[in-house]
Amino acid sequence: MKNKCLLLSISGPSNSFLEIFEELEQLCKTLNFEVVDKIFQKRLKPDPKYYIGIGKLEKINSLIENSQINCLVINDDLSPLQRKNIEKFLNIKVYDRTEIILEIFSKHAHTKEGKLQVEIARLNYLLPYLLGKGKELSRLGGGVGTRGPGEKELEYSKRYIKNRIKILKNNLKKLENNREIIRKKRFKSDTIKISIVGYTNAGKSTLLSKLTGEKIKSKNEMFTTLSTLSRKVKLPSGRIAIFTDTVGFIRNLHPKIIEAFHSTLEEIKYSDIILILLDSSDIEFEKKLETVLNTLESIVPYEKPYFMVFNKIDLIPNEHLNFLKTRFSEAVFISAYKNLNIDKLLLQVDKLIDKITKQVTIEIKNKYLHILYKYKHFINFKILDIQNENVLVKLSGPENLITKITKEANR
Ligand SMILES: Nc1nc2c(ncn2[C@@H]2O[C@H](COP(=O)(O)OP(=O)(O)OP(=O)(O)O)[C@@H](O)[C@H]2O)c(=O)[nH]1
Ligand SMILES: [Mg+2]
């Protein structure tokens, strides 16, 4: 049966009605939920027991009675008590924002790692609420009876869930170790690694697809990508860089989700350059940029070289584009979908690599010249002079690779 939902949000005076519901609606659409109505209550903070006032709840109750609404979606996270009380009061299924995001993650997780990550996040997030809820537990993996929540059973459920989380975490650890080995192998080379990060739906996968010419899943939905994907791309300088498509960010992403997805987000941590992709047609892009920068701060232990790329310029009028160009003079403006300015983007990447890479002029023996050719995809070099057995070369590339080559060539 299709979920027909009522959206509910509270807010202080600063947010507009439209702003508040747009993202929640998009999240619901991704789950194929039909949004029947939206209700908004102005209040400074949520009621600790019922989230909103009882009067408003009664209104919602009569609204539900006269419609086909079968679930309530709240634009916030609920405490276990609020959730229990509202469900009891309205007698329909209640979703909070993190639960909706978890549902989407569940729907979009296709890899073994993704599925484990989602289940861990889900159990961890819902643990305080699920305790003693026999029915939900059996839906989540079975093993627990459906009798009423007696003391003993409560204890049993608690142990069961905690055990289950432990087993899942162990399984995930094994996969992560494998991934670590693969990453080390793949990235043993000193190739520059660039992570494409950004708010969900900014066009990250579309961009990687355009850069590689490969078909990569992209969709006008939230969190289409749940695992990272890395591909080699040739830059205008002839160098090769590895671009990685990553999981999208969203405001107020619950720490339990970040924790469960830490291994996926780890790819960002190990990249040399971060490309922040923004949707230029989104009026909320500044708030989203703030979310991206804050999330990055929580993942990356030190500031990495980054640059901003405004995507979807095909969707905005020229005046707005010019305004953005003046405000963000360092940024690149592209349309991944329409293949606009991708060459400019790659030139910018080359420029940044030059900036963060080392340049040296060294003398090496003639017989070691092959070393330079061995690394030709990762460095730039120019022969300046040849004298007897020695060659004078100007070399630029990632710092650690330059050090390595200098060592090898001076054996
Ligand atoms: N008009 C237009 N649409 C674009 C552009 N780039 C991407 N899109 C569309 O935006 C939607 C989201 O694109 P994705 O590439 O899936 O976005 P993403 O950032 O990978 O999103 P998640 O993986 O869900 O976080 C898709 O419908 C794309 O076709 C663009 O330059 N112009
Ligand atoms: Mg994607």
Side-chain angles (χ1 to χ4, degrees):
M1 190 175 68
K2 187 164 178 164
N3 273 313
K4 293 181 186 290
C5 57
L6 170 68
L7 308 189
L8 170 68
S9 186
I10 61 167
S11 143
S14 63
N15 297 342
S16 78
F17 180 84
L18 275 174
E19 251 173 36
I20 284 169
F21 285 117
E22 201 190 307
E23 183 166 277
L24 191 63
E25 248 189 298
Q26 245 180 315
L27 289 166
C28 287
K29 272 191 198 140
T30 299
L31 280 178
N32 218 6
F33 283 14
E34 184 185 326
V35 176
V36 178
D37 213 340
K38 299 168 210 173
I39 286 199
F40 176 70
Q41 183 172 51
K42 265 202 171 142
R43 56 186 298 147
L44 289 174
K45 48 178 211 239
D47 177 73
K49 278 193 185 152
Y50 286 95
Y51 184 71
I52 46 168
I54 284 281
K56 199 76 169 176
L57 266 183
E58 274 161 359
K59 264 193 200 145
I60 294 180
N61 216 359
S62 48
L63 188 78
I64 293 170
E65 273 173 13
N66 301 315
S67 72
Q68 292 181 306
I69 292 166
N70 59 9
C71 68
L72 178 70
V73 178
I74 296 182
N75 198 14
D76 216 336
D77 287 344
L78 294 174
S79 72
L81 179 70
Q82 286 167 332
R83 180 196 292 268
K84 200 174 109 198
N85 286 341
I86 303 175
E87 269 186 356
K88 212 164 153 194
F89 197 103
L90 299 176
N91 207 18
I92 55 171
K93 168 77 186 147
V94 175
Y95 291 94
D96 68 9
R97 189 167 172 274
T98 292
E99 210 185 345
I100 286 286
I101 293 172
L102 283 167
E103 288 282 329
I104 297 176
F105 273 39
S106 245
K107 182 180 154 196
H108 290 173
H110 299 301
T111 62
K112 207 169 169 188
E113 188 177 25
K115 284 181 184 159
L116 279 171
Q117 286 168 324
V118 176
E119 199 181 346
I120 292 170
R122 193 191 187 100
L123 284 176
N124 259 327
Y125 180 67
L126 294 174
L127 180 68
Y129 170 72
L130 288 179
L131 289 179
K133 292 208 97 190
K135 273 184 198 152
E136 266 86 344
L137 279 178
S138 54
R139 188 168 61 87
L140 272 161
V144 177
T146 47
R147 281 172 296 123
E151 246 340 275
K152 246 187 173 168
E153 189 173 327
L154 238 164
E155 222 8 75
Y156 178 50
S157 332
K158 203 159 146 186
R159 241 186 314 137
Y160 167 81
I161 303 175
K162 289 200 166 148
N163 249 337
R164 175 120 183 102
I165 294 177
K166 217 161 120 190
I167 294 168
L168 293 170
K169 277 192 171 166
N170 271 338
N171 291 346
L172 184 62
K173 188 93 210 138
K174 279 183 212 151
L175 286 178
E176 281 171 9
N177 288 343
N178 271 346
R179 173 199 272 280
E180 184 73 3
I181 293 165
I182 293 170
R183 179 168 47 220
K184 278 195 179 138
K185 253 193 204 159
R186 177 157 26 104
F187 294 159
K188 192 170 63 203
S189 63
D190 304 86
T191 321
I192 291 278
K193 296 169 282 293
I194 300 160
S195 286
I196 306 172
V197 305
Y199 214 79
T200 177
N201 214 38
K204 301 175 294 295
S205 305
T206 310
L207 175 60
L208 188 66
S209 177
K210 278 285 138 57
L211 291 174
T212 54
E214 192 180 321
K215 200 164 165 34
I216 295 165
K217 191 170 181 190
S218 71
K219 222 173 167 187
N220 195 14
E221 278 190 358
M222 313 293 260
F223 302 109
T224 307
T225 310
L226 279 193
S227 14
T228 54
L229 185 72
S230 299
R231 289 289 181 266
K232 286 182 179 168
V233 175
K234 197 167 180 177
L235 300 174
S237 62
R239 269 184 300 223
I240 283 173
I242 294 171
F243 282 77
T244 299
D245 180 19
T246 63
V247 183
F249 297 164
I250 195 163
R251 79 182 163 88
N252 299 341
L253 193 57
H254 199 276
K256 291 280 179 218
I257 301 187
I258 298 191
E259 190 188 307
F261 276 79
H262 85 99
S263 60
T264 306
L265 296 167
E266 200 101 302
E267 297 276 350
I268 301 173
K269 197 162 134 184
Y270 293 116
S271 56
D272 303 294
I273 293 176
I274 290 170
L275 185 165
I276 298 178
L277 194 69
L278 297 157
D279 178 350
S280 58
S281 70
D282 187 341
I283 47 163
E284 297 258 28
F285 84 89
E286 270 178 283
K287 276 192 195 153
K288 292 185 176 172
L289 173 61
E290 205 181 304
T291 297
V292 171
L293 292 174
N294 289 339
T295 315
L296 277 176
E297 211 174 292
S298 70
I299 302 168
V300 183
Y302 62 93
E303 199 178 313
K304 302 236 176 205
Y306 74 85
F307 71 108
M308 285 197 276
V309 178
F310 283 85
N311 188 28
K312 308 197 188 181
I313 59 163
D314 56 298
L315 296 179
I316 58 169
N318 260 338
E319 306 87 72
H320 187 48
L321 179 59
N322 290 334
F323 163 77
L324 289 174
K325 279 184 175 168
T326 325
R327 267 207 59 200
F328 300 92
S329 52
E330 304 275 300
V332 185
F333 298 83
I334 65 160
S335 165
Y337 186 66
K338 295 259 164 111
N339 220 341
L340 294 174
N341 296 344
I342 304 293
D343 48 343
K344 284 193 183 144
L345 165 68
L346 292 177
L347 279 172
Q348 183 76 3
V349 173
D350 252 336
K351 247 165 94 180
L352 192 56
I353 295 178
D354 285 341
K355 221 164 123 187
I356 61 160
T357 52
K358 204 175 167 176
Q359 274 200 29
V360 288
T361 304
I362 52 166
E363 215 174 60
I364 59 170
K365 291 207 167 69
N366 235 336
K367 62 175 182 184
Y368 290 137
L369 212 51
H370 68 274
I371 297 173
L372 300 181
Y373 288 97
K374 188 165 104 187
Y375 292 114
K376 71 174 195 278
H377 285 312
F378 312 119
I379 53 167
N380 273 323
F381 66 90
K382 197 173 169 190
I383 296 176
L384 300 175
D385 198 11
I386 302 174
Q387 295 166 346
N388 303 327
E389 281 185 359
N390 290 336
V391 192
L392 190 67
V393 281
K394 196 171 148 190
L395 208 62
S396 67
E399 199 158 3
N400 45 356
L401 182 58
I402 296 287
T403 314
K404 188 173 163 178
I405 292 174
T406 317
K407 249 192 210 158
E408 273 188 46
N410 277 309
R411 269 176 303 186

